Amino acid sequence: MKIRVRGIEEGQPVPEKFAFGVYSEEDHMSFGPNRNPEVSWEDAPEGTKSFVVMMFDPDVPSVANDANQEGKTVSKDIPRVDFFHWLLVDVPAAISRIPEGEDSDGVIPKGKEPGPGPIGLRGVNNFTQFLADNPDMAGTYGGYDGPCPPWNDEIIHHYHYEVHALDVESLDLEGEFDGAAVREAMAGHVLASGRVTGTYTLNPDLR
């Protein structure tokens, strides 16, 4: 199965228009356009009944105490974990394209609603946990929210945009389901997958 993410070439930087946070010389980070990129795919195998679309960052520090702190850095040696930025399940088999900006167009403080979206069913991304202690931003973040790695991280982050063809019409997920729940529900039902990986950093020393 072939997947294309318009504007993102394999191994190249993710454009700022798709980012939740963009570099700011004054404040390190400011809000970005936060548009979801156009994702399209073809050559899904026979028997495909639905798709899962996800994007995640495997380079998020497992210990974030020093993240975005003046005078500190996030060490490259800290173990890293997955941070889900986009979860769409039960995307109908007849669909092979998600237009740019369809699932996100701008930063929405306190998040977009999970559940039924413009296309498919929205899961909850990890900005829900990341922003939980910020009174202006805390909430449940559904759908797409783009890259925003710590501006003092010593490593460049990678963003995996994936489409999975499944042999079931629905994963029977409901409520505020997360990336772990999607992966568990998908297990044993994936017929084919495609991936495009982009990079992103807010660290001026790595740009």
Side-chain angles (χ1 to χ4, degrees):
M1 192 168 73
K2 299 174 183 176
I3 170 177
R4 180 183 183 191
V5 184
R6 185 180 291 273
I8 300 176
E9 298 296 329
E10 180 68 28
Q12 297 301 305
V14 174
E16 287 190 341
K17 68 176 176 176
F18 303 138
F20 186 97
V22 297
Y23 175 69
S24 167
E25 188 173 346
E26 295 79 21
D27 303 316
H28 300 293
M29 188 278 287
S30 59
F31 289 140
N34 201 41
R35 292 172 62 83
N36 72 271
E38 175 187 302
V39 180
S40 60
W41 55 93
E42 58 186 358
D43 298 335
E46 186 176 350
T48 297
K49 296 182 178 179
S50 71
F51 297 99
V52 167
V53 178
M54 66 169 61
M55 189 268 269
F56 66 97
D57 170 7
D59 297 319
V60 170
S62 57
V63 179
N65 297 340
D66 293 336
N68 301 325
Q69 299 295 312
E70 293 284 356
K72 297 182 178 180
T73 59
V74 177
S75 171
K76 64 182 184 299
D77 297 324
I78 290 177
R80 304 288 166 151
V81 297
D82 290 346
F83 184 111
F84 289 92
H85 287 259
W86 197 11
L87 295 165
L88 288 180
V89 306
D90 299 356
V91 176
I95 289 177
S96 60
R97 174 178 170 270
I98 298 176
E100 179 181 318
E102 182 79 359
D103 195 57
S104 181
D105 187 11
V107 172
I108 307 297
K110 302 186 182 298
K112 297 181 289 294
E113 288 291 327
I119 297 175
L121 192 66
R122 287 171 167 165
V124 173
N125 68 54
N126 286 121
F127 280 99
T128 302
Q129 292 77 30
F130 183 68
L131 296 171
D133 295 329
N134 183 327
D136 296 324
M137 298 295 291
T140 301
Y141 285 74
Y144 179 91
D145 285 299
C148 188
W151 50 258
N152 60 342
D153 203 334
E154 291 184 344
I155 69 169
I156 293 175
H157 286 224
H158 296 77
Y159 295 85
H160 299 315
Y161 294 81
E162 296 183 342
V163 179
H164 304 276
L166 307 185
D167 64 1
V168 292
E169 291 184 3
S170 175
L171 289 180
D172 295 324
L173 294 169
E174 57 186 23
E176 297 180 2
F177 60 88
D178 61 9
V182 173
R183 283 178 169 168
E184 182 177 359
M186 280 173 35
H189 295 290
V190 179
L191 298 174
S193 300
R195 171 189 280 186
V196 173
T197 299
T199 65
Y200 198 75
T201 182
L202 292 172
N203 185 336
D205 295 334
L206 301 178
R207 291 169 63 86

